[in-house]
Amino acid sequence: MKSVSLVLGGGAARGYAHIGVIKVLEKHGYKIKSISGTSMGSLIGGMYAAGALEAYTDWISHLNKLDMVKLLDFSIGHNGVIKGEKIFAVLRNMTGNVNIENLPIKYTAVATDATSKREVWLQKGDLLSAIRASISIPSVFTPVEKDGHYLVDGGILNLLPIAPVMSDMNDLIVAVDVNADIQCKYNVHLTPDEIKQQAKLKTHFFKLWEKSKNPLKNNKEGIFDIVSISIVMMQNLITRYRIAEYKPDIIINISRNSCELYDFHKSKEMIEIGKMAAEDTLQKFEGNNS
């Protein structure tokens, strides 16, 4: 059984693909012994390290309109649209109060210190607080204040954080890039009921957004499109430099065209796409090394 250092990139809703990748790695007999994650990658990796990924996957797979009403705590300030306290209360019920240093798997959440303008590796302390800092997409989630510093999304400076696992004594470094500039070649079949449910969730989200007291509410979907385009342009360049500097043994590419950053209603498709991409990549790797 080969040991793996797993690097999970940021990409908002596309990060659901990480769940599928993890399932396939386990199926092929790989042992995940350390994880480094940015943004959504830090969330999926953290839930896995805490032994709560199955509970999390079941939860996101059964979200409905009533859940959305209960979970979205819109902020009335200008530093972010969503506070995230309700979402993280649900996550804490799954993980309990656990510190990173007590996890059975070495774990790093990468955030950006907006005050000092530098990358931060969160490797100790409360797990969910570290994840909350790492996922704080500017203008969407309110930043996390810590010791006079404001921590925001780690993907601003490092979308694919390979460096934190370079010193690990594992057999392979496997990186998952969910923003790859490639065509999406995978199709996931949904039932008519599933398609209808997805459409309802997306429509309801933007209705809640419109009714919120946030001063940016009139932008509706527009602000998310602007954020998405801006992040993608910046992060693609950064990711290319990171991969050139720190080369993983295996890189699993998920097309950035698989879904939009805010398509959180598409968890099933992204999990399945993650599985298919991982299967193809691992079969090629194992075939070349047999």
Side-chain angles (χ1 to χ4, degrees):
M1 179 180 289
K2 290 189 175 181
S3 60
V4 166
S5 294
L6 183 61
V7 181
L8 303 178
R14 290 194 287 271
Y16 284 139
H18 295 317
I19 298 173
V21 171
I22 288 172
K23 289 180 179 294
V24 170
L25 285 171
E26 291 185 325
K27 174 186 169 184
H28 281 251
Y30 293 94
K31 178 70 173 179
I32 300 170
K33 300 193 71 173
S34 69
I35 296 173
S36 174
T38 285
S39 197
M40 193 64 172
S42 74
L43 173 56
I44 302 301
M47 298 304 287
Y48 178 77
L53 187 60
E54 287 299 324
Y56 175 78
T57 304
D58 182 68
W59 176 61
I60 62 173
S61 299
H62 294 91
L63 286 175
N64 56 40
K65 292 197 298 183
L66 180 59
D67 295 323
M68 193 174 291
V69 172
K70 294 178 179 178
L71 290 172
L72 292 180
D73 45 0
F74 289 99
S75 168
I76 61 174
H78 295 270
N79 291 327
V81 178
I82 300 171
K83 290 184 286 185
E85 294 173 1
K86 294 180 179 179
I87 295 172
F88 274 80
V90 174
L91 299 182
R92 195 169 292 278
N93 284 335
M94 298 178 192
T95 65
N97 296 318
V98 58
N99 283 352
I100 294 172
E101 58 268 32
N102 295 327
L103 292 170
I105 295 173
K106 181 189 172 188
Y107 173 81
T108 303
V110 176
T112 299
D113 186 338
T115 307
S116 64
K117 301 177 179 61
R118 64 183 181 89
E119 179 180 325
V120 178
W121 296 359
L122 302 171
Q123 297 175 315
K124 62 181 180 179
D126 182 66
L127 171 65
L128 292 181
S129 295
I131 294 172
R132 177 63 180 82
S134 182
I135 70 162
S136 296
I137 301 172
S139 80
V140 178
F141 281 99
T142 54
V144 172
E145 184 177 4
K146 182 178 181 181
D147 301 326
H149 291 250
Y150 287 92
L151 303 182
V152 296
D153 194 288
I156 293 174
L157 293 180
N158 194 348
L159 192 63
L160 197 62
I162 302 171
V165 303
M166 289 298 293
S167 61
D168 294 342
M169 301 300 290
N170 293 320
D171 297 318
L172 298 169
I173 295 176
V174 178
V176 187
D177 180 7
V178 293
N179 298 281
D181 188 13
I182 57 175
Q183 290 298 314
C184 183
K185 61 181 180 179
Y186 304 111
N187 293 313
V188 179
H189 175 73
L190 295 179
T191 66
D193 286 342
E194 288 172 331
I195 294 172
K196 185 177 180 180
Q197 176 66 9
Q198 284 192 350
K200 284 182 179 179
L201 285 175
K202 183 174 182 179
T203 300
H204 194 63
F205 171 79
F206 286 111
K207 283 183 178 179
L208 291 174
W209 170 271
E210 188 174 5
K211 291 178 180 179
S212 76
K213 296 180 180 180
N214 192 278
L216 298 173
K217 66 179 182 180
N218 291 329
N219 285 338
K220 300 180 183 178
E221 296 188 44
I223 186 174
F224 291 97
D225 293 329
I226 293 169
V227 170
S228 175
I229 293 169
S230 301
I231 289 175
V232 167
M233 290 174 60
M234 172 181 62
Q235 292 177 334
N236 281 345
L237 181 61
I238 294 173
T239 300
R240 287 200 296 271
Y241 281 121
R242 295 289 183 175
I243 293 175
E245 184 178 7
Y246 302 104
K247 295 183 183 297
D249 298 290
I250 301 172
I251 182 161
I252 299 171
N253 289 308
I254 309 294
S255 171
R256 68 187 187 192
N257 299 317
S258 300
C259 75
E260 298 296 334
L261 291 174
Y262 52 81
D263 283 346
F264 288 99
H265 55 287
K266 294 185 176 181
S267 59
K268 179 176 180 179
E269 288 104 311
M270 293 312 304
I271 291 171
E272 291 303 314
I273 287 172
K275 287 181 180 178
M276 290 185 282
E279 284 284 2
D280 285 351
T281 303
L282 290 179
Q283 285 179 12
K284 290 177 183 177
F285 175 78
E286 292 169 355
N288 292 333
N289 291 273
S290 59

